[in-house]
Amino acid sequence: MGKRKSEQTKDAEKMAARKATHDVQPAESGGPLRGSEVQIVGIGCSAGGLEALETFLEKVPPDTDLAFVVIQHMDPTKKGFLVELLQRRTTLPVTEIRDRVKVQPHHVYVIPPNRDVAVVHGVLHLLEPEAPRGFRLPIDFFFRSLASDQKYRSIGVILSGMASDGTLGLRSIKEQAGAGFAQDPATALFDSMPRSAIAAGLIDVVAPATDLPARILDYLKRPPSSFQSPSDIPDGDESSLEKIFILLRAHTGHDFSPYKRTTVHRRVEKRIRLHQIGTIEDYVTYLQNNVHEVELLFKDLLIGVSNFFRDSDIWKCLEEEILPDYLASRPDGAALRAWTVGCSTGEEAYSLAILFKETLAALNPPKKLSLHIFATDVDKDSIERARTGSFGPNIGADVSEERLQRFFNDNGQGHYVIKQEIRDMITFAPQNVMKHPPITRLDIVTCRNLLIYMDKQLSENLLSLFHHSLIPDGLLVLGSAETIDGATRLFSPLEEKQRIYKRLNTASHYNNVRLPYSFAPLSSPVLPKASSRNELASGKASPSSLVEKILLNRYSPAAVLVTHKGEILYISGKTGKYLEPPSGKADFNLFAMARTGLKDVLARAIDQAIKEKNAIAINSVTVETNNGNQIIDLSIEPVDKANDPDDLILITFKDVDVETDNKASRGGGHKSLTSKSRQLISKQHPGGNQNVETARSEMQRSLEELRFVNVELQSMNEELQSVNEELTTSKEELQSMNEELRTVNYELQAKVNEFSCTSNDMYNLLNHTDVAALFLDESLLVKRFTIQTSKIIKLIPSDVGRPITDIVSTLNYPQLADDAREVLRSLTCIEKHVTSENGLWFNVRIVPYRTAENQVRGVIITFADITEFKSMMQSLQKALKSKELHAHHLYEENVQSPSNNGR
């Protein structure tokens, strides 16, 4: 039971770690910073990153209190050597991350293969990757969790690497007022990753890898403040903030005074730390003398961070519970309107459009509904990026593979481009919601993670403004950290936990809203035609102008002014009978809007009028209208306009009364052009009608054949698209594998260099210590030998690989091979003294050759010259014998001496 509970606790922690990486809360959403006080620096790299990592860690001082977490793209099937390679270049302990290890200062932690890493409360968690190989983004995954855990203390570093992994994660770090550092692309072996992050505007410091540690330490010299309310900010800082607001408003036209003071202070403080400026007063002086810094601070305060389907629980609730019921309640054919406030680079607006398409397709019974989304943001650069609809490959972390295939196109350069059907649903425009008039008659308003940065009064004003903009029962979607406090009588919660609200049909307080900049006055309603009399009585309009206006409206023909390309510049009168907008994307081109029967006639007539520089009249043209066919007369006349390089054409349309024309014909009057034409065709071509019918039949057959061919081509196109998608998937997987192989190759190259150095060390050690050593393998083949050995056994470099029994030796030791085999068998040492042909003595020692894994891979035979020792032994033996003889003689003399004395 206890074991099961422990497993459940561990699974819950992993789920929390994974959720932390996907649903990063805004900086203002929580209280004080939770978790470890250790300053964690996340480092992301990929192919070619080992060299940059080694250079980076070499410059990290040993007494630093930082902890570094290294996330690198690795081959999931092989054990890497990154820990061993990095440990050679730094005095900091380098370890591979284990699950649930608590981060310690002055340590380096390395990601293991085939794992994602998340940090929760200062504890590292290992998770199995959800994405298949080739689509994994481990750097983004860790950076997001780092931003969620460390908030404004989070630091992300991007080094050499391919693709764009890390960019989305740095967005989360930037949103939390953390700092982003990147290796200078000019010094990176592969510059794709640092370039991607720099281009996204997420990097605060760009420098070579050797300089980054010092820049990070300089940034951390000034500890960040932890103010939780405006009352915590000192009076001096408050005064300086007001001066900063004045400078920003003068330069950008945007007033940040209604923003929360703690938010502004934290981001100003970040700029101060980056520039190593002493106080906030000094920073005000720096701003006054540096316009570029004003722009950078403006961008930082805008917090332009977004991603697809952000806060997945909210989008899931919209998809499964809210939108289906809301769309089902709309009348068939209705055109819905939505407003995405603070859209940043467009991901929020595109997410809403995609969700609408999916929900509409799933409706039962089906309905024909349309949605037009107005996406606005104060940052013009973000709006320009949003309009392109192009996103990096790392959006795969937020967008499912099915959605990528259905709503995006691969541009062949590793980027996903939103399809035209989604792009046509959205209008992007720069707008300051605190300054410009709002968009009205809306069904949906999404304003997510914007109100959290505003003070209470401005938040309430904006909520009242959204209430004014929405239709009754319209939907308001806020961010996960926002509420409608102060506006509960304007909105009611549909899903309060997910911050989705419905507009209540109560009186709006829009007219009483007080925003920093007053809105432009609302347009007055259009007055009825009867008001002309009041205008005349009040003297606002003259009788002549009114008469001219009535006559022009009643008797002037419908006309359009176009360019030679058919672009409509001006419309006069009612032209709906002759022109109609095409379905799909709005196109105000004459040839696109011309009804059936007019397009070809207009094209030829405009070309002729431009060439001849004269007016052309075409009579009795049949046009298909909503109420049947209508015969009209056309007038095409070139218009001269000074200083205009384009040829302008005025086209007038005049209806022909068919009955009047027929009466005139029967009364002997002039016949219509159609009658004359028919008679002329009959006279010149008696079989003309039959030929026309034949041609029509042939054309019909050709059209049917073309339709059939078109169906086949569509089928082939679908097959080619399927093949292209498979190739794209394979290409991405190959790119990922190539990147992993580059990493492995670089590690192996480093290992080879290390072994080469070790081999050189051993070579010099053995050859300069006068040790004669011979290395044999299990088959007694020569593997290696020292220079001194060649003086004893006739060895040359080409003898490597030959049996020792084939080598000529000067030793009187025929049992050498047998003794070597005995050592291999018994794994015991054999030591003998043998002589050579030239009279030298050697101590031959044969021992097993053992590997680091304690496996025997041959024998080592060492030869120690003991000739001098033997000579000394022989001399000592001779001297000993001589002394023994001498002693014996003395003894005999002593024995004989007493007898002689006795006599």
Side-chain angles (χ1 to χ4, degrees):
M1 185 70 181
K3 182 178 181 181
R4 182 178 301 174
K5 185 176 180 181
S6 175
E7 292 176 351
Q8 291 176 349
T9 303
K10 187 174 181 180
D11 291 340
E13 290 177 350
K14 288 190 175 184
M15 288 297 294
R18 190 175 295 281
K19 182 174 177 58
T21 65
H22 287 87
D23 300 328
V24 179
Q25 298 299 318
E28 301 299 325
S29 63
L33 183 72
R34 298 178 301 172
S36 170
E37 291 300 321
V38 178
Q39 179 66 61
I40 301 175
V41 178
I43 303 176
C45 62
S46 158
L50 179 57
E51 179 182 358
L53 271 173
E54 291 176 338
T55 306
F56 180 96
L57 292 176
E58 279 182 342
K59 298 298 181 180
V60 176
D63 57 347
T64 179
D65 291 332
L66 307 182
F68 301 92
V69 180
V70 178
I71 309 296
Q72 187 182 32
H73 293 170
M74 308 177 76
D75 186 342
T77 63
K78 290 184 171 62
K79 183 183 184 303
F81 305 107
L82 191 58
V83 173
E84 295 86 345
L85 295 175
L86 293 181
Q87 190 63 81
R88 297 186 297 108
R89 309 300 288 269
T90 179
T91 57
L92 300 177
V94 182
T95 59
E96 190 172 80
I97 298 174
R98 293 176 289 104
D99 192 30
R100 302 181 67 188
V101 62
K102 187 172 180 61
V103 178
Q104 300 294 332
H106 46 263
H107 275 68
V108 180
Y109 299 92
V110 176
I111 184 175
N114 201 31
R115 286 292 182 270
D116 281 337
V117 179
V119 56
V120 180
H121 302 168
V123 176
L124 297 175
H125 294 262
L126 294 178
L127 302 98
E128 293 186 5
E130 291 181 343
R133 184 177 181 182
F135 297 91
R136 297 173 185 172
L137 302 169
I139 303 173
D140 281 332
F141 190 92
F142 177 73
F143 278 4
R144 283 181 171 182
S145 74
L146 181 66
S148 179
D149 188 67
Q150 296 289 300
K151 297 200 174 0
Y152 55 86
R153 298 175 72 245
S154 53
I155 296 177
V157 180
I158 294 292
L159 301 178
S160 171
M162 300 172 67
S164 58
D165 192 10
T167 300
L168 287 181
L170 282 172
R171 287 184 184 277
S172 300
I173 290 176
K174 180 179 176 64
E175 185 179 13
Q176 301 294 332
F181 295 77
Q183 182 181 2
D184 187 349
T187 66
L189 191 60
F190 295 93
D191 61 0
S192 297
M193 275 174 44
R195 283 194 185 279
S196 174
I198 294 169
L202 305 172
I203 298 301
D204 298 300
V205 175
V206 179
T210 53
D211 298 340
L212 285 177
R215 299 295 296 271
I216 294 173
L217 292 172
D218 289 342
Y219 171 75
L220 294 173
K221 282 180 180 178
R222 178 189 175 112
S225 61
S226 57
F227 300 142
Q228 298 301 318
S229 65
S231 60
D232 297 335
I233 301 176
D235 293 338
D237 287 3
E238 180 69 28
S239 175
S240 298
L241 285 178
E242 292 174 355
K243 294 175 183 177
I244 291 173
F245 293 150
I246 294 173
L247 292 173
L248 286 168
R249 185 170 55 188
H251 186 75
T252 66
H254 191 76
D255 188 8
F256 286 93
S257 59
Y259 278 48
K260 287 184 178 178
R261 288 294 194 270
T262 52
T263 299
V264 178
H265 188 277
R266 185 165 294 143
R267 294 181 182 272
V268 168
E269 191 178 56
K270 171 188 169 183
R271 303 301 307 173
I272 293 174
R273 296 166 69 194
L274 287 170
H275 292 294
Q276 292 298 293
I277 296 174
T279 63
I280 192 170
E281 292 85 355
D282 297 333
Y283 184 68
V284 173
T285 305
Y286 183 74
L287 281 176
Q288 290 175 320
N289 299 324
N290 194 327
V291 177
H292 181 62
E293 178 62 21
V294 178
E295 284 288 342
L296 292 176
L297 178 61
F298 173 67
K299 295 283 187 183
D300 220 355
L301 288 172
L302 289 181
I303 319 172
V305 176
S306 181
N307 53 274
F308 282 94
F309 301 100
R310 184 183 186 188
D311 300 330
S312 55
D313 292 342
I314 293 179
W315 291 101
K316 187 176 182 180
C317 180
L318 280 171
E319 179 183 10
E320 297 178 354
E321 302 177 24
I322 306 300
L323 269 186
D325 294 340
Y326 187 79
L327 296 184
S329 66
R330 301 296 99 181
D332 197 13
L336 282 65
R337 290 155 59 93
W339 183 18
T340 300
V341 184
C343 69
S344 188
T345 49
E347 289 89 340
E348 183 99 5
Y350 288 124
S351 298
L352 181 60
I354 289 172
L355 197 63
F356 173 81
K357 283 286 188 181
E358 292 177 337
T359 307
L360 187 63
L363 281 183
N364 188 17
K367 280 190 175 184
K368 291 185 178 179
L369 301 174
S370 63
L371 175 66
H372 190 89
I373 302 172
F374 301 91
T376 63
D377 196 276
V378 71
D379 188 357
K380 294 181 180 180
D381 294 337
S382 294
I383 289 294
E384 289 300 320
R385 290 183 57 194
R387 283 173 176 157
T388 64
S390 178
F391 302 94
N394 47 9
I395 65 170
D398 303 309
V399 184
S400 66
E401 182 64 25
E402 180 184 356
R403 282 172 170 163
L404 285 175
Q405 294 180 3
R406 182 177 174 186
F407 299 108
F408 293 83
N409 291 320
D410 190 341
N411 67 352
Q413 299 177 352
H415 280 68
Y416 293 105
V417 180
I418 201 79
K419 286 189 176 180
Q420 196 63 37
E421 62 170 323
I422 300 297
R423 180 63 184 86
D424 290 342
M425 296 172 61
I426 307 173
T427 298
F428 290 100
Q431 185 208 40
N432 187 338
V433 70
M434 300 187 302
K435 179 179 178 182
H436 299 136
I439 301 169
T440 57
R441 296 184 295 109
L442 298 167
D443 295 87
I444 304 171
V445 170
T446 64
C447 178
R448 306 185 60 241
N449 298 327
L450 176 65
L451 300 182
I452 56 172
Y453 302 113
M454 311 298 179
D455 61 23
K456 183 177 180 181
Q457 181 61 47
L458 180 57
S459 297
E460 293 178 357
N461 288 346
L462 289 178
L463 288 172
S464 180
L465 179 125
F466 297 152
H467 182 270
H468 168 80
S469 299
L470 285 165
I471 64 173
D473 297 333
L475 302 178
L476 173 65
V477 184
L478 299 180
S480 57
E482 298 167 327
T483 63
I484 57 169
D485 291 343
T488 52
R489 66 186 215 86
L490 300 179
F491 298 94
S492 66
L494 289 176
E495 282 290 339
E496 189 167 12
K497 182 180 179 182
Q498 305 303 338
R499 307 297 191 261
I500 303 174
Y501 305 91
K502 180 179 72 173
R503 180 193 188 274
L504 295 176
N505 195 17
T506 57
S508 174
H509 293 272
Y510 169 69
N511 293 331
N512 297 325
V513 171
R514 295 290 181 266
L515 293 174
Y517 292 91
S518 60
F519 288 107
L522 295 175
S523 302
S524 300
V526 179
L527 296 175
K529 293 182 180 179
S531 64
S532 300
R533 188 177 301 171
N534 297 333
E535 289 184 1
L536 179 60
S538 62
K540 293 182 180 178
S542 64
S544 61
S545 63
L546 288 176
V547 171
E548 290 175 359
K549 182 177 180 180
I550 293 172
L551 292 176
L552 285 172
N553 289 335
R554 185 172 299 174
Y555 298 107
S556 64
V560 293
L561 181 67
V562 301
T563 67
H564 66 285
K565 295 180 179 179
E567 298 169 353
I568 298 176
L569 304 178
Y570 184 79
I571 298 176
S572 175
K574 298 180 179 180
T575 59
K577 202 182 282 186
Y578 324 109
L579 307 174
E580 67 172 347
S583 61
K585 186 177 180 181
D587 189 353
F588 292 99
N589 186 280
L590 177 69
F591 304 123
M593 297 177 65
R595 289 182 179 267
T596 304
L598 268 180
K599 186 178 298 183
D600 295 337
V601 175
L602 287 173
R604 291 193 298 267
I606 289 176
D607 289 340
Q608 185 178 351
I610 292 174
K611 290 178 182 177
E612 297 179 0
K613 301 293 183 182
N614 287 321
I616 295 175
I618 303 177
N619 299 328
S620 302
V621 178
T622 302
V623 182
E624 292 184 9
T625 66
N626 295 334
N627 299 321
N629 292 342
Q630 172 68 51
I631 298 176
I632 65 171
D633 292 341
L634 290 174
S635 174
I636 297 92
E637 181 179 358
V639 177
D640 292 331
K641 186 177 180 182
N643 300 325
D644 197 328
D646 293 332
D647 293 317
L648 302 183
I649 308 295
L650 179 64
I651 303 171
T652 57
F653 307 90
K654 184 178 180 182
D655 292 348
V656 176
D657 190 344
V658 178
E659 293 183 0
T660 303
D661 188 53
N662 291 339
K663 288 179 182 179
S665 300
R666 289 194 296 270
H670 294 289
K671 294 182 178 180
S672 68
L673 180 62
T674 305
S675 303
K676 292 179 181 179
S677 300
R678 288 171 181 165
Q679 291 178 3
L680 184 61
I681 291 172
S682 298
K683 289 179 182 179
Q684 295 181 355
H685 304 282
N689 291 334
Q690 184 177 357
N691 293 336
V692 169
E693 291 298 329
T694 303
R696 186 173 296 168
S697 299
E698 292 178 354
M699 183 179 294
Q700 187 65 27
R701 286 196 300 272
S702 299
L703 285 174
E704 291 176 357
E705 293 175 359
L706 286 174
R707 289 194 188 100
F708 180 74
V709 172
N710 185 48
V711 171
E712 291 183 339
L713 289 174
Q714 285 180 345
S715 177
M716 291 176 62
N717 184 49
E718 291 174 358
E719 292 179 1
L720 289 174
Q721 284 181 341
S722 176
V723 172
N724 183 53
E725 290 170 358
E726 293 176 359
L727 289 174
T728 300
T729 302
S730 300
K731 175 187 173 184
E732 291 172 347
E733 292 179 352
L734 287 173
Q735 285 178 339
S736 176
M737 292 179 65
N738 181 48
E739 191 172 336
E740 294 167 359
L741 288 174
R742 286 181 183 274
T743 302
V744 172
N745 180 59
Y746 196 87
E747 291 181 357
L748 291 175
Q749 185 63 43
K751 275 289 184 183
V752 168
N753 293 337
E754 182 180 355
F755 289 146
S756 178
C757 292
T758 304
S759 178
N760 291 334
D761 293 342
M762 290 299 297
Y763 177 83
N764 283 276
L765 174 66
L766 293 174
N767 289 329
H768 294 84
T769 53
D770 291 333
V771 175
L774 174 63
F775 296 80
L776 305 179
D777 63 10
E778 300 97 320
S779 301
L780 302 187
L781 303 180
V782 177
K783 290 172 57 179
R784 180 181 298 177
F785 58 89
T786 60
I787 296 175
Q788 288 74 14
T789 308
S790 60
K791 299 176 181 178
I792 304 169
I793 302 176
K794 304 301 183 181
L795 288 168
I796 57 177
S798 60
D799 288 331
V800 174
R802 292 180 60 191
I804 188 60
T805 54
D806 293 349
I807 309 298
V808 177
S809 173
T810 63
L811 294 175
N812 298 319
Y813 189 13
Q815 303 85 9
L816 177 63
D818 295 333
D819 288 348
R821 293 189 187 96
E822 177 62 22
V823 169
L824 286 173
R825 187 191 65 79
S826 63
L827 301 182
T828 57
C829 172
I830 293 179
E831 187 171 359
K832 291 184 177 180
H833 294 177
V834 297
T835 61
S836 65
E837 295 176 352
N838 52 7
L840 299 178
W841 282 86
F842 293 93
N843 180 43
V844 179
R845 180 181 174 84
I846 307 175
V847 296
Y849 178 93
R850 296 181 182 274
T851 65
E853 293 78 18
N854 199 30
Q855 295 180 348
V856 177
R857 289 288 183 264
V859 296
I860 305 175
I861 306 174
T862 57
F863 305 89
D865 189 347
I866 58 172
T867 304
E868 186 175 352
F869 171 74
K870 281 290 185 180
S871 298
M872 292 177 62
M873 287 291 294
Q874 291 174 358
S875 299
L876 287 173
Q877 288 175 353
K878 290 179 181 180
L880 183 59
K881 287 181 179 180
S882 176
K883 286 188 175 290
E884 288 177 352
L885 290 173
H886 182 67
H888 181 69
H889 291 314
L890 289 175
Y891 174 77
E892 289 181 348
E893 290 176 357
N894 291 332
V895 169
Q896 295 174 2
S897 180
S899 62
N900 294 332
N901 292 334
R903 282 194 304 266

